[in-house]
Amino acid sequence: MPINTTHPTYDVGPGNMTSDAYNGNVKCYVEKLSMQSQRDYEAYVNRACFYNVTKRTTDALIGSMLRKPYTSSIDDIHVGCGQTFDTMISYVLRDIFLTSRVGILVDYDENVDSPSLIPYDNNCITNWGDDFVVLEESYFAVDPKDKYKKTIRCQYRELTLVDGVYTVNIWRQEGGQASKKWYIAEQYVPSVRGNTLDFIPFVFINDRDTTDECRKPVMFNMAQLNISHFRTTADIEQCAHFLALPQPYISGDFADDVTQAALGGQTLWRLEQGSSVGYLEYSGKGIESLANIQSKKEEQMASIGSRMFSKAGVESAEALRIRSEGESATLVSMVNALEQGLQKALQYYAVWLGQDPASVEFDIS
């Protein structure tokens, strides 16, 4: 099997939808209406305003989880990708909310002569097993004929145990991106003070524990409703655009066969006997029904976890207590999993430093 083979449970679909909702990339989820041109479709989706409840709720929950500072027995923790350790924690929590799972690789960065924590989101963890983890990455390929021309290419970092020794393989495609052949472009065996490792320094963290299990993201249902709410908003805006303004009409014979006429107090129309004029105005409950559906979806988003839509008196004290307890249980589970995962990663970090991993302490309030 080629290195780009994915795990049977690898499914980024739910995470992609949730991430799209968080980032506001939701126009692609609105389908074209029947017989609608591309220009009319773009006008249709651009009229709608996306009220990003997914992002506001996620950020608010992360803020509440990190309201109190963490404690760590290791200072000046180095993180790859130019992030600080505090920023990495926020991003890890965000990715757990949106994609259900993250991974942290502990490697040694020779550029700064320090161990480094490198986070990978769920989309990048393509395959895994008892003795290997495959991570999708990107790199810049330089054109051999033009050093200024670079293209972004895909590569896979394989973390594996070879005869019990931790080994890293970098896989790249032969030829162009259309090639199905992969080869090991680089292989190295990390060591700590001359000693090889007998474990893979990679930690999985999901919303419940530090196993490699994939589940639907915590915010998936919120994202679904948020996108559905956007579709309804697009329909309401479409109706308002075409039906809000009254349409003038003239019936009977019109002088000189003119089919258009100016409107205004200083304009004079000369009509034949028996002609009549008036306005066609929309009457019905179509838009009202859409507005009711929109309000219902807002209530459903509020019940899932968003307090941005909450209104005083909507919930009884008992209902609010039950919902808050459920929400808190989810947050506590995520905090515990994050704490366990980061402590395990910092234990690997301590190995690179030559310290006793059993002495590492990390705590999130």
Side-chain angles (χ1 to χ4, degrees):
M1 300 293 285
I3 190 64
N4 60 345
T5 302
T6 57
H7 193 275
T9 63
Y10 178 75
D11 180 12
V12 301
N16 278 346
M17 173 182 280
T18 313
S19 297
D20 285 341
Y22 180 89
N23 293 313
N25 301 325
V26 296
K27 293 181 180 179
C28 60
Y29 294 95
V30 180
E31 296 181 358
K32 279 187 179 182
L33 301 178
S34 178
M35 304 297 289
Q36 192 174 43
S37 68
Q38 181 62 29
R39 180 179 179 181
D40 289 341
Y41 168 73
E42 291 176 0
Y44 169 48
V45 294
N46 287 333
R47 288 189 196 102
C49 179
F50 180 58
Y51 188 24
N52 201 334
V53 181
T54 304
K55 177 177 172 59
R56 296 180 66 181
T57 304
T58 302
D59 291 347
L61 292 175
I62 291 174
S64 69
M65 297 166 77
L66 300 179
R67 182 171 54 88
K68 295 183 179 180
Y70 62 84
T71 58
S72 173
S73 59
I74 298 180
D75 298 325
D76 300 325
I77 302 168
H78 180 66
V79 179
C81 309
Q83 297 179 352
T84 65
F85 184 63
D86 295 63
T87 302
M88 189 201 76
I89 294 177
S90 297
Y91 280 128
V92 165
L93 274 175
R94 184 198 64 184
D95 287 342
I96 293 174
F97 270 115
L98 301 180
T99 69
S100 84
R101 187 185 65 168
V102 298
I104 299 177
L105 171 63
V106 187
D107 203 353
Y108 197 85
D109 190 341
E110 295 181 354
N111 294 324
V112 295
D113 193 24
S114 169
S116 179
L117 302 181
I118 306 173
Y120 287 81
D121 63 35
N122 190 45
N123 292 12
C124 296
I125 310 172
T126 59
N127 208 347
W128 57 93
D130 294 336
D131 60 353
F132 73 93
V133 177
V134 179
L135 306 171
E136 182 179 329
E137 301 176 339
S138 60
Y139 72 99
F140 286 108
V142 180
D143 190 328
K145 298 181 180 179
D146 185 353
K147 66 179 181 179
Y148 301 109
K149 185 178 180 181
K150 299 179 180 180
T151 56
I152 299 177
R153 302 284 297 276
C154 174
Q155 71 177 20
Y156 289 91
R157 182 178 298 270
E158 180 188 19
L159 318 175
T160 185
L161 294 176
V162 178
D163 297 328
V165 177
Y166 173 52
T167 305
V168 179
N169 297 319
I170 306 298
W171 292 79
R172 292 181 177 176
Q173 288 172 297
E174 291 184 357
Q177 293 183 341
S179 172
K180 296 183 179 180
K181 294 183 179 181
W182 295 83
Y183 72 100
I184 297 178
E186 181 183 357
Q187 182 183 75
Y188 62 93
V189 179
S191 62
V192 179
R193 291 171 174 78
N195 298 317
T196 58
L197 304 178
D198 59 359
F199 61 90
I200 298 175
F202 186 85
V203 181
F204 287 97
I205 308 175
N206 59 44
D207 61 317
R208 300 179 189 174
D209 48 46
T210 56
T211 65
D212 57 22
E213 185 177 358
C214 286
R215 287 183 287 268
K216 281 188 178 181
V218 173
M219 299 301 292
F220 177 70
N221 290 337
M222 172 70 77
Q224 271 191 319
L225 275 171
N226 209 172
I227 291 173
S228 179
H229 181 272
F230 176 71
R231 293 193 192 105
T232 304
T233 302
D235 289 338
I236 292 176
E237 293 291 341
Q238 180 82 345
C239 290
H241 178 74
F242 285 101
L243 301 177
L245 298 178
Q247 171 66 46
Y249 71 89
I250 301 175
S251 63
D253 294 328
F254 191 75
D256 301 325
D257 294 328
V258 177
T259 57
Q260 295 183 357
L263 295 176
Q266 297 180 346
T267 302
L268 175 65
W269 289 0
R270 182 170 59 84
L271 304 177
E272 300 294 337
Q273 186 174 2
S275 300
S276 62
V277 297
Y279 279 97
L280 297 175
E281 295 189 72
Y282 169 77
S283 63
K285 297 187 177 181
I287 297 182
E288 182 181 345
S289 298
L290 288 173
N292 290 336
I293 293 173
Q294 186 182 47
S295 298
K296 185 65 177 179
K297 290 174 182 177
E298 292 171 0
E299 293 175 5
Q300 290 173 327
M301 283 190 285
S303 68
I304 287 178
S306 169
R307 299 183 181 180
M308 310 303 173
F309 285 90
S310 297
K311 300 177 182 179
V314 171
E315 292 181 310
S316 66
E318 179 65 13
L320 181 60
R321 182 188 66 80
I322 293 173
R323 182 166 69 84
S324 297
E325 286 181 355
E327 182 182 84
S328 297
T330 300
L331 298 185
V332 169
S333 177
M334 290 181 64
V335 168
N336 289 338
L338 178 67
E339 183 179 84
Q340 294 170 15
L342 289 179
Q343 177 157 341
K344 190 174 181 180
L346 291 178
Q347 287 174 341
Y348 293 154
Y349 194 94
V351 171
W352 289 106
L353 292 174
Q355 301 177 3
D356 180 10
S359 64
V360 174
E361 294 183 359
F362 182 81
D363 178 71
I364 298 179
S365 176

